[in-house]
Amino acid sequence: MHVSADSLIATLRTRGMRVTAPRRAICEVIAAAHAEHLTAAAILEAARARSDAKIDPSTVYRTLDALEGAGTLTHSHLGHGASVYHLADEAAHQHLICSSCGRTFELPEKDVRAFLDDITAGSGFVADPTHFAVSGLCAECAATSR
Amino acid sequence: MHVSADSLIATLRTRGMRVTAPRRAICEVIAAAHAEHLTAAAILEAARARSDAKIDPSTVYRTLDALEGAGTLTHSHLGHGASVYHLADEAAHQHLICSSCGRTFELPEKDVRAFLDDITAGSGFVADPTHFAVSGLCAECAATSR
DNA sequence: TTTCGTGCAAATTGTTTGCAATAGA
DNA sequence: TCTATTGCAAACAATTTGCACGAAA
């Protein structure tokens, strides 16, 4: 099931970190996002909307870093722009980003596995599919461009 | 065979673009790099060393854009940092970047093909493996971390 | 009462853009 | 000549960092 805001906060507390209003708001936003992928800017905006505390971008990045350090959160690079963050408990998936329409797609774990095995077989390299997207053309854009 | 500086320059000329000292120097650097992947900063530095013309970063980016527009050059995103540029006539290859030691590897076209087919089969998505790297752990780092 | 965490402001990195002067064709 | 191209400086977006104050523990 999905991680709750409380368990994210508990994670921070366990690591000896202090629980503050900004951190609480950020954890709530991340928990509420479920599988959605949010940019730091989106998290900041949502956290500000949810809390009356003044929240700074740097605080968002610092909290995100802390959660990543704890292993509960990961970020991926979808394109040329900002990174997106999502809970680490999600199934591994490969992001596909269409260079024409900009939409992103997720490749189910099964298909990713075949890709990973392929890479591993040749080089001993242990790929982490979550980190970078693969760019290309989505089915629709590929059809129109032809 | 590899593209020569002259043919890159000819490409620009064919497109109705003017041939200037900075462009000539940039083309020479790219041609001399063969299969090496250079950042815009590296291209700038090398072009400055090779020409007595004053060359600005913006000129490098603009020339690189022009060559990409002509289809002779492509850039890839290897990691969080700067893009790298290389001639488009190179065989398609997937970059692997080790998140631990930072080294990059190239996956031969044959192996990439299996991956591409796999992606295409499921989603109709036409992947371009050259654009984004896949991050993970190289064989060595994976061994030490275990 | 200690630190840790904060907001703020400024620095960084990589890249893009507006502009007037310059130099190809 | 005439317009593309330039260097410069400033704008950019995403992110990081230094710092003194304020607030968790």
Side-chain angles (χ1 to χ4, degrees), chain B residues 1-78:
Chain B
M1 214 28 246
H2 279 295
V3 174
S4 68
D6 284 345
S7 83
L8 288 174
I9 290 165
T11 301
L12 294 177
R13 190 172 272 130
T14 307
R15 297 197 111 214
M17 304 180 71
R18 292 176 185 174
V19 177
T20 64
R23 285 188 176 162
R24 207 182 301 267
I26 293 164
C27 288
E28 284 170 13
V29 169
I30 293 169
H34 297 303
E36 240 183 295
H37 296 35
L38 301 173
T39 62
I43 293 169
L44 172 65
E45 194 187 357
R48 278 178 171 164
R50 187 178 291 258
S51 162
D52 43 4
K54 199 176 273 189
I55 308 178
D56 193 76
S58 58
T59 301
V60 172
Y61 285 110
R62 288 190 273 231
T63 304
L64 260 22
D65 271 2
L67 289 170
E68 275 204 86
T72 21
L73 193 73
T74 14
H75 74 274
S76 337
H77 301 274
L78 258 44

Side-chain angles (χ1 to χ4, degrees), chain B residues 80-101:
Chain B
H80 306 204
S83 305
V84 293
Y85 294 82
H86 58 81
L87 289 167
D89 73 337
E90 277 185 62
H93 54 267
Q94 174 73 57
H95 295 280
L96 304 177
I97 180 160
C98 178
S99 52
S100 174
C101 66

Side-chain angles (χ1 to χ4, degrees), chain A residues 3-131:
Chain A
V3 174
S4 68
D6 284 345
S7 82
L8 289 174
I9 289 165
T11 301
L12 294 178
R13 190 171 273 130
T14 306
R15 297 198 111 212
M17 305 180 71
R18 292 179 185 172
V19 177
T20 64
R23 285 188 179 163
R24 208 181 301 267
I26 292 165
C27 287
E28 283 169 15
V29 169
I30 293 169
H34 299 300
E36 241 183 294
H37 295 32
L38 301 173
T39 62
I43 293 170
L44 172 64
E45 194 186 358
R48 277 178 172 164
R50 186 177 291 257
S51 162
D52 43 4
K54 199 175 274 187
I55 307 179
D56 194 76
S58 57
T59 300
V60 173
Y61 284 111
R62 288 189 273 230
T63 303
L64 260 23
D65 271 4
L67 289 170
E68 276 203 85
T72 21
L73 193 74
T74 14
H75 74 274
S76 338
H77 301 275
L78 257 46
H80 306 205
S83 305
V84 294
Y85 294 81
H86 58 80
L87 289 166
D89 73 336
E90 278 186 60
H93 54 266
Q94 174 73 56
H95 295 280
L96 304 177
I97 180 160
C98 178
S99 53
S100 175
C101 66
R103 282 186 299 170
T104 64
F105 304 84
E106 287 179 20
L107 206 61
E109 169 149 43
K110 192 166 73 78
D111 296 352
V112 178
R113 187 54 46 197
F115 159 49
L116 291 185
D117 290 350
D118 214 68
I119 285 190
T120 310
S123 60
F125 193 92
V126 182
D128 164 20
T130 68
H131 204 60

